[in-house]
Amino acid sequence: MPHFASSRDINIEQFLIWLQQAFNNREIAIGLWIILGLLFCLSRADLRSSLWNLASALIAPKLLLFFGIVVINVVALCWLLAEIGLWSMSQMPPTILWFVVGGCVFAGRALQWKEDDQYFRKLFRGSFRLGGIFEFIVVAYTFSLVTELVLVPILFFLGATLAFAETKPEYARAKVLLELILATLAIVLVWNSLSSIWSQPDHFFTTDTGRNFVLPMLLTVGSIPVFYLLFCYSQIEQARIQIDQKTFQPDGLKEYARKRFF
């Protein structure tokens, strides 16, 4: 029993060390709040049923195929980048983060976009926007875990309140105040990162930092062909459904319309 307890303590300590090395304090704080939110939902019967319905929808065969294609594409891109020295196992956490908050979102939007909206051209240009440098600097250094645990819900609440205020013209003054508060917090975050970079430049200007900076750009640009194929498949499926609904047309004409659309 003592040996078992000792081994368990070592495993927990190793896990905590890996967690701190793989994720920064802000990412850990976000993860903890998500876990707490899920536990709260599971503790309520009404919310528990909603979560189950959501989980059932996510494991639908078509959605599993959809996410599987995106996963295979990301794995292939990581292999190619590793072959040319632009990806290593240390980039696994930011890769997973990009897949969750970037890849799946971009792919989902591609299914809903219209052909004349130039979505893929905008996505390509947006990958190299200057705002990406600003965002990278903001997340380069974080505060202590306790501070981040307090800061994350505050930022979420302010962001959600601002999004709601933008939908109501009568909340124009509140919107200005919220934007001012968020801008002040952004200045504090940037100052924290820049001062940390200035005091320890050797810790920031490293090979891993460079890889982490270009990783979202390379993954986004490399995924655009797959997103476009998903868009084409979506359009073909929608056209097939509309053609099949034409009950007054002969089957031969329907088959010809499907081929012409493809």
Side-chain angles (χ1 to χ4, degrees):
M1 181 65 67
H3 176 71
F4 172 77
S6 177
S7 300
R8 183 180 61 183
D9 293 340
I10 292 175
N11 290 335
I12 294 176
E13 183 179 356
Q14 290 175 345
F15 172 76
L16 293 176
I17 293 175
W18 171 83
L19 191 67
Q20 291 178 340
Q21 291 176 345
F23 302 95
N24 60 40
N25 288 336
R26 188 165 301 143
E27 293 166 346
I28 295 175
I30 293 173
L32 289 174
W33 277 111
I34 291 175
I35 293 173
L36 289 175
L38 289 175
L39 292 176
F40 173 77
C41 293
L42 292 174
S43 66
R44 301 285 299 273
D46 52 341
L47 296 178
R48 198 162 50 237
S49 61
S50 299
L51 280 179
W52 175 251
N53 293 333
L54 177 61
S56 301
L58 290 177
I59 60 175
K62 287 189 176 182
L63 273 181
L64 289 178
L65 178 62
F66 169 79
F67 289 122
I69 292 173
V70 180
V71 169
I72 293 173
N73 173 65
V74 172
V75 172
L77 287 174
C78 290
W79 178 79
L80 290 173
L81 293 174
E83 288 296 309
I84 60 177
L86 291 178
W87 193 90
S88 65
M89 287 303 297
S90 62
Q91 271 70 52
M92 182 64 72
T95 302
I96 296 175
L97 186 64
W98 179 89
F99 168 76
V100 174
V101 303
C104 292
V105 175
F106 294 150
R109 289 177 179 173
L111 300 181
Q112 304 172 356
W113 227 256
K114 303 299 181 182
E115 190 171 357
D116 56 352
D117 288 334
Q118 299 183 342
Y119 171 71
F120 302 101
R121 182 176 299 180
K122 294 175 182 176
L123 184 60
F124 178 81
R125 292 175 178 173
S127 302
F128 302 97
R129 68 189 191 282
L130 293 177
I133 301 176
F134 173 79
E135 295 173 3
F136 186 77
I137 291 176
V138 167
V139 301
Y141 286 91
T142 58
F143 299 101
S144 66
L145 182 58
V146 175
T147 303
E148 292 293 340
L149 285 171
V150 176
L151 185 62
V152 165
I154 292 176
L155 290 174
F156 175 80
F157 173 78
L158 290 174
T161 307
L162 177 61
F164 176 76
E166 289 178 343
T167 63
K168 303 289 184 178
E170 58 268 26
Y171 296 149
R173 292 185 178 180
K175 175 187 173 184
V176 173
L177 177 61
L178 290 169
E179 289 176 341
L180 179 61
I181 296 174
L182 285 172
T184 303
L185 290 174
I187 293 174
V188 173
L189 295 175
V190 172
W191 175 257
N192 175 66
S193 293
L194 289 178
S195 60
S196 299
I197 294 172
W198 181 265
S199 61
Q200 296 178 325
D202 295 340
H203 292 177
F204 179 77
F205 295 102
T206 62
T207 302
D208 284 343
T209 302
R211 287 173 178 168
N212 290 335
F213 176 71
V214 301
L215 181 64
M217 305 178 193
L218 297 176
L219 290 178
T220 301
V221 173
S223 299
I224 287 178
V226 175
F227 295 160
Y228 181 71
L229 290 176
L230 292 173
F231 163 77
C232 292
Y233 172 78
S234 174
Q235 297 298 305
I236 292 172
E237 278 295 295
Q238 292 180 27
R240 182 187 63 80
I241 293 173
Q242 293 176 3
I243 292 172
D244 289 342
Q245 290 176 346
K246 302 293 184 180
T247 56
F248 56 87
Q249 298 290 355
D251 292 341
L253 184 59
K254 290 182 179 180
E255 185 64 24
Y256 174 76
R258 294 190 197 99
K259 291 180 180 179
R260 290 297 298 174
F261 186 84
F262 181 81

